[in-house]
Amino acid sequence: MERISYKDDDQFCSGHVACGGCVEALALRVIINAVGPDTVGVVAPSCAAVILGGHPMSSVSIPFIHGTLESAAASASGVKRALLAQGRPDTTVLCLAGDGGTYDIGLQALSSAAERNEDILYICFDNEGYMNTGGQKSSSTPLNAATGSTPSGKLTAKKNLIEILAAHRIPYIATASPSHLNDLAAKVEKARGIRGTKVIIVLIPCLPGWGVADDSAVKTARMAVEAGVFPLIEVTDGVNYSISESARAQPIEAYLSLQKRYSHLSRADISRLRDNLDQERGILSRRAGDSGAEA
Ligand SMILES: Cc1ncc(C[n+]2csc(CCOP(=O)(O)OP(=O)(O)O)c2C)c(N)n1
Ligand code: SF4
Ligand SMILES: [Mg+2]
C-alpha cells in the first residue's frame, strides 16, 4: 500500500459540494496544496467550478476567476500577462477545466495558449463526459461507453489529446490519477518549476456519469492505470515520452465491470477494446522506446 506523503497546507477547505465520494475533490486538494499559496486560478464551468464554489463560499484559500467554457486558457494567459506587468513573474497561474472544456469547447483557446507557450499550468479533470450538466458524451468519452447522449455506447474512440498537445511542442504534458496521489503531487510540483505551457490530464472516474459505486472511484482509477487503459506518462518538449506506470497487471474486464456505462458490452465488444488497447500500448511503448525512456 502506497503511503501518501504530499504536503497539505489546508489550502483546500472542508465543506465543498462535490458528490460524496468524488475523487475530483481529492485530486483538487492535492493539486491546490502542491501549487502553493502564491497562485492565481482560473476555472472553466465544470464540476471543478462547483467544487471550488464562489467567493465568499469558496472551498480554497487561493483566488479563482470563474471564466467561460470556451476561454479558460485565454483567461489564464491574460492573468499571467497581468501578473508579469505587476512584477510577479513567479506567481503560478493554475487553469482548471473539464474534458468538455478542454478536448472540445476550449480546445481552440488551449491550442493558442500552447502555441504562444504561455506560462500557465493547465489541469484537465478528465471524467470523460459533460458530467456537470447530466452526463453527455464529449470527444474524450471512450469507444462504447454509454452516456446520456450515447445511450447505446459511443461509436468513436477517445480523442488523443496528448498527441495534439505534443504537436505544439510545449515543455510538459503528463497524465495522472487520483489513485496515485504521490505521482500527481510530484507532477504538479515539477510542472510548477517549468516556464511555459504545462498540461496535466487527471482521470476522474465520475460516480453518476460512469455508474461507479460511491466507494469505488479510487479503485476504478487504479484499475484504469493497472489495466493499461490510462497509462501514467510524461511528455517533455512534445517528443520525449516516458511511462511512469502502465503495468497491465489487471485484465480490462476488471476495469469495465466496475462501471455501469459498459454493462451493455458483448464479448466481441470487449475483445475489440482489448485489441485497441494493445495497439495503443504498442504505439506508446514505441514512442517511449524511441525517446530511450521506456519504464
Ligand atoms: C459554450 C457553453 N456551452 C455549454 C455550457 C453549459 N455547461 C456548463 S458546464 C458544462 C459541462 C462541462 O463539461 P466538462 O468540461 O467535461 O466538465 P465536467 O462538468 O464534466 O466537470 C456545460 C455543457 C457553457 N457553460 N458554455
Ligand atoms: S458529477 Fe462526477 S465528477 Fe462531478 S462532482 Fe459528481 S462524481 Fe464528481
Ligand atoms: Mg467532463
Side-chain angles (χ1 to χ4, degrees):
M1 182 71 68
E2 184 187 29
R3 193 180 157 80
I4 301 167
S5 58
Y6 74 94
K7 73 182 168 65
D8 194 325
D9 296 331
D10 290 333
Q11 298 207 123
F12 186 72
C13 317
S14 58
H16 62 77
V17 293
C19 304
C22 173
V23 286
E24 184 160 320
L26 178 64
L28 192 52
R29 176 174 172 173
V30 171
I31 291 163
I32 294 291
N33 279 289
V35 290
D38 189 15
T39 301
V40 178
V42 172
V43 62
S46 57
C47 288
V50 175
I51 297 168
L52 289 169
H55 181 76
M57 304 293 282
S58 175
S59 59
V60 289
S61 58
I62 57 174
F64 260 92
I65 295 167
H66 288 247
T68 71
L69 203 48
E70 302 91 332
S71 68
S75 303
S77 305
V79 170
K80 186 70 201 188
R81 302 285 175 109
L83 289 166
L84 288 174
Q86 288 176 358
R88 293 172 60 190
D90 297 327
T91 299
T92 301
V93 175
L94 174 68
C95 186
L96 306 178
D99 51 289
T102 303
Y103 287 69
D104 295 339
I105 299 177
L107 184 60
Q108 177 178 319
L110 177 58
S111 173
S112 302
E115 188 271 328
R116 295 189 305 268
N117 199 22
E118 297 283 349
D119 187 19
I120 59 174
L121 171 53
Y122 188 107
I123 307 270
C124 171
F125 289 118
D126 189 355
N127 54 18
E128 302 188 328
Y130 290 79
M131 298 311 184
N132 175 48
T133 44
Q136 299 80 23
K137 77 103 185 164
S138 75
S139 58
S140 168
T141 303
L143 180 67
N144 288 154
T147 69
S149 52
T150 59
S152 308
K154 190 184 173 226
L155 300 176
T156 53
K158 181 181 173 97
K159 184 187 281 181
N160 192 329
L161 185 64
I162 305 278
E163 293 195 357
I164 293 170
L165 291 168
H168 292 72
R169 302 291 187 258
I170 54 175
Y172 189 73
I173 307 160
T175 56
S177 167
S179 58
H180 293 65
L181 292 176
N182 289 328
D183 178 74
L184 169 62
K187 284 172 173 166
V188 171
E189 278 165 20
K190 182 173 180 177
R192 257 188 80 213
I194 298 171
R195 290 275 185 220
T197 307
K198 293 82 60 176
V199 181
I200 302 178
I201 302 170
V202 185
L203 185 72
I204 303 294
C206 174
L207 305 171
W210 294 21
V212 169
D214 289 359
D215 61 356
S216 295
V218 172
K219 183 177 176 187
T220 307
R222 182 170 295 283
M223 285 287 179
V225 175
E226 295 188 351
V229 174
F230 194 82
L232 301 184
I233 69 167
E234 291 177 298
V235 186
T236 54
D237 301 324
V239 290
N240 303 308
Y241 282 67
S242 61
I243 305 173
S244 12
E245 187 98 26
S246 175
R248 287 299 294 277
Q250 296 289 343
I252 189 170
E253 289 87 342
Y255 170 67
L256 301 176
S257 65
L258 292 168
Q259 310 165 56
K260 287 198 186 118
R261 65 177 177 160
Y262 290 119
S263 58
H264 61 287
L265 294 194
S266 65
R267 278 199 194 158
D269 291 332
I270 295 174
S271 174
R272 185 160 61 121
L273 288 180
R274 198 183 300 110
D275 290 346
N276 290 352
L277 204 57
D278 288 342
Q279 194 181 4
E280 289 300 323
R281 186 176 156 79
I283 293 170
L284 185 59
S285 293
R286 277 195 296 282
R287 290 210 200 294
D290 290 346
S291 310
E294 192 171 9

